[in-house]
Amino acid sequence: MIGARVIALGIGYLFGLFQTGYLYGKSQGIDIRNEGSGNAGTTNSLRVLGIKAGLITFAGDLCKAILAVLLVKVLFRNAYPDAVRILELYAGFGAVLGHNFPFYLKFKGGKGIACTSGMILAVCPMAAPVCLILFIGSIAITRYVSLGSILVVTSYLVQVLIFGHMGYLHIDAAYLPEFYVVSACFTVMALWRHRSNIGRLMHGTENKFTLKKNKQEGK
């Protein structure tokens, strides 16, 4: 199982290396990491390049995590039927690592929220509705995307703990503690990646989301 975990993590990392926002930006003659917040994720792509870029980036980053999870499921569901769910989670975590820390971009990627959302849909879909409601609701009320992102990863972990305790995750009891720990890693990483945003939220200086029409989309 140790080898299977490493393989699942590696597969996820390889999928995570597909930097949708960076690649789309390059197709428009822009390095998204040198614009706006310097982040290669959905929010910065949306702010810098417009709605189309934001949607493409979100879809690409969401799907790469889902595809990584599905591939690992296909590869290991027969060899490790009782542990395949935990291996899927490792694949999702690897995708977030690849997205956040792509080696070929000097480890400067995104913050992993779209990737984490893809993992949630693929591994723990029952947690998705609450995450989505909190994300949309918080942004609609406060216009802080960072707050919505933080609520997504935090509510995911809380739901996993609740669902696991109630037996809804359908995971072998031997792997349940590990599932909790790896799930917590998603939350901890996201909070760490948003540490500057958290600081600004606490001081009331966080930038509110405003969508500006990008010049390139107006051409």
Side-chain angles (χ1 to χ4, degrees):
M1 266 296 292
I2 294 178
R5 290 180 177 89
V6 173
I7 292 172
L9 195 66
I11 288 173
Y13 185 83
L14 290 176
F15 272 85
L17 292 177
F18 185 83
Q19 295 288 313
T20 316
Y22 172 78
L23 294 174
Y24 184 86
K26 278 296 186 181
S27 72
Q28 304 298 309
I30 293 175
D31 186 339
I32 193 68
R33 300 170 306 150
N34 295 328
E35 305 289 338
S37 66
N39 187 271
T42 300
T43 303
N44 199 38
S45 295
L46 187 62
R47 281 174 170 154
V48 174
L49 294 170
I51 295 177
K52 179 180 178 181
L55 291 175
I56 290 174
T57 301
F58 177 77
D61 292 346
L62 181 87
C63 289
K64 66 187 181 187
I66 294 175
L67 291 173
V69 170
L70 292 178
L71 178 57
V72 166
K73 181 177 183 178
V74 170
L75 291 176
F76 292 109
R77 63 185 173 188
N78 294 324
Y80 300 103
D82 296 331
V84 70
R85 294 295 299 283
I86 190 67
L87 294 176
E88 292 173 15
L89 193 63
Y90 274 106
F93 189 60
V96 174
L97 287 174
H99 175 77
N100 290 354
F101 309 107
F103 72 89
Y104 67 97
L105 295 178
K106 298 181 179 179
F107 302 98
K108 186 180 179 182
K111 294 184 178 179
I113 300 302
C115 260
T116 298
S117 299
M119 178 281 298
I120 293 172
L121 287 173
V123 179
C124 190
M126 68 181 73
V130 171
C131 291
L132 182 61
I133 290 171
L134 288 174
F135 182 75
I136 294 176
S138 63
I139 294 176
I141 295 170
T142 69
R143 288 195 291 153
Y144 291 137
V145 176
S146 57
L147 178 59
S149 300
I150 291 167
L151 288 175
V152 167
V153 294
T154 304
S155 65
Y156 162 69
L157 179 58
V158 171
Q159 289 182 85
V160 161
L161 294 174
I162 293 173
F163 293 148
H165 179 72
M166 297 177 70
Y168 292 163
L169 293 179
H170 305 295
I171 296 173
D172 190 288
Y175 296 106
L176 194 55
E178 185 177 1
F179 196 93
Y180 292 155
V181 171
V182 179
S183 292
C185 288
F186 283 91
T187 301
V188 171
M189 179 178 292
L191 293 177
W192 182 78
R193 295 289 283 175
H194 284 83
R195 62 193 183 282
S196 60
N197 302 89
I198 294 172
R200 290 193 295 271
L201 285 169
M202 293 176 66
H203 291 92
T205 58
E206 175 69 321
N207 295 322
K208 292 188 176 183
F209 178 73
T210 55
L211 184 61
K212 297 178 181 179
K213 187 175 181 62
N214 183 264
K215 294 180 180 179
Q216 293 198 22
E217 289 196 6
K219 291 181 180 179

